[in-house]
Amino acid sequence: MSEPFSVPVTVRGYETDVQGHLNQSVYLNYAEHARWSLLDAAGITQAALIGSGVGPVALETTIRYVRELLAGDEVDVTCGFEWGEGKTFRIQQTIRKKDGTVAAEITAVGGLMDLKARRLVANAGEVLKGLATDPGLL
């Protein structure tokens, strides 16, 4: 099995709270950055999505905080899609320190919305893979 897609991120001081921990909302930003980086690596841009008449939507996100992150910590943020048969899909992500320590686990449920009909499209995975130049990443 290959390693999951990941992007490196360094925690910046302005992203921390009064205790010096990474602010809770920033974990979502890191996860979003990894998702868009994966789509970009697969050859799917935001412009291509909009041009095809679909856009990603977040339906549910759960974050499990495991270890603190501090300014200067270097992490890798993974991203993997789990496709099903219906209109939704899961995204599994891990934020891991360079020493291997898991800092957070993020699970999300998403879909692709038809931008005209304002409804989720069927088989979102197939639609995304059809737009990709490297669908194997998805």
Side-chain angles (χ1 to χ4, degrees), residues 83-131:
W83 307 106
E85 297 297 320
K87 295 180 179 182
T88 64
F89 52 86
R90 290 180 110 31
I91 305 167
Q92 299 291 344
Q93 298 184 263
T94 302
I95 299 177
R96 183 175 282 112
K97 294 181 181 185
K98 293 294 182 181
D99 69 3
T101 303
V102 173
E105 297 170 330
I106 302 160
T107 303
V109 176
L112 277 182
M113 180 180 287
D114 179 312
L115 298 176
K116 288 184 181 169
R118 309 305 289 176
R119 300 272 185 229
L120 293 179
V121 301
N123 294 323
E126 295 306 314
V127 173
L128 278 178
K129 290 175 186 176
L131 294 172

Side-chain angles (χ1 to χ4, degrees), residues 10-129:
T10 301
V11 176
R12 296 164 289 253
Y14 63 83
E15 296 173 324
T16 60
D17 60 21
V18 71
Q19 291 103 330
H21 301 125
L22 183 64
N23 183 281
Q24 64 178 346
S25 66
V26 180
Y27 287 84
L28 293 174
N29 291 336
Y30 289 3
E32 185 77 2
H33 173 62
R35 289 192 294 268
W36 280 108
S37 294
L38 174 52
L39 291 176
D40 185 58
I44 302 171
T45 64
Q46 287 181 331
L49 282 170
I50 291 168
S52 69
V54 297
V57 293
L59 302 170
E60 175 183 313
T61 304
T62 302
I63 304 172
R64 183 173 169 261
Y65 303 99
V66 182
R67 293 285 182 266
E68 67 184 357
L69 289 176
L70 306 171
D73 282 346
E74 295 180 356
V75 299
D76 287 312
V77 184
T78 67
C79 185
F81 288 89
E82 295 177 358
W83 307 106
E85 297 297 320
K87 295 180 179 182
T88 64
F89 52 86
R90 290 180 110 31
I91 305 167
Q92 299 291 344
Q93 298 184 263
T94 302
I95 299 177
R96 183 175 282 112
K97 294 181 181 185
K98 293 294 182 181
D99 69 3
T101 303
V102 173
E105 297 170 330
I106 302 160
T107 303
V109 176
L112 277 182
M113 180 180 287
D114 179 312
L115 298 176
K116 288 184 181 169
R118 309 305 289 176
R119 300 272 185 229
L120 293 179
V121 301
N123 294 323
E126 295 306 314
V127 173
L128 278 178
K129 290 175 186 176

